[in-house]
């Protein structure tokens, strides 16, 4: 019985804060918010793109593209989380 109550709490917590959790995950590492929202292809694509961006930063000190992709990923994860929540 106790496991059922705990599971119900986690489901309610996850659905209530889904958008914020997705945005925070995407902020921590680009693409994780999309993976949390079950957008596997988009999440893995963004993850791979940021790995390539890390190479560009080391090779040519190109920070702008890295920041742009990270900002897009956070915003996208939040918006998709809102759509899933409804």
């Amino acid at each position: 019985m106790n496991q059922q109550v705990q599971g119900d709490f986690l489901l309610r917590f996850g659905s209530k804060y889904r958008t914020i959790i997705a945005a925070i995950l995407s902020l921590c590492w680009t693409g994780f918010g999309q993976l949390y929202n079950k957008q596997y292809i988009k999440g893995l694509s963004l993850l791979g793109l940021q790995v390539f961006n890390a190479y560009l930063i080391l090779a040519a000190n190109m920070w702008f593209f890295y920041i742009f992709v990270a900002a897009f990923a956070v915003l996208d994860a939040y918006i998709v989380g809102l759509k899933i929540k409804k």
Side-chain angles (χ1 to χ4, degrees):
M1 183 71 171
N2 192 16
Q3 283 183 326
Q4 181 66 27
V5 172
Q6 187 177 14
D8 290 343
F9 171 76
L10 291 176
L11 285 174
R12 283 193 317 254
F13 179 81
S15 64
K16 185 176 180 181
Y17 296 104
R18 180 173 199 84
T19 56
I20 295 172
I21 292 170
I24 289 172
L25 284 172
S26 196
L27 185 62
C28 291
W29 191 264
T30 304
F32 278 19
Q34 284 74 16
L35 293 174
Y36 178 75
N37 286 335
K38 297 180 182 173
Q39 294 182 309
Y40 301 115
I41 294 173
K42 187 188 291 185
L44 292 175
S45 299
L46 286 170
L47 191 61
L49 186 59
Q50 287 301 68
V51 169
F52 177 71
N53 286 338
Y55 168 75
L56 287 178
I57 289 170
L58 293 174
N61 201 17
M62 296 178 64
W63 283 93
F64 176 75
F65 195 59
Y66 182 86
I67 293 169
F68 174 75
V69 172
F72 167 78
V74 171
L75 186 62
D76 178 67
Y78 184 79
I79 290 171
V80 171
L82 282 175
K83 290 179 183 177
I84 291 172
K85 190 174 164 180
K86 289 182 181 180

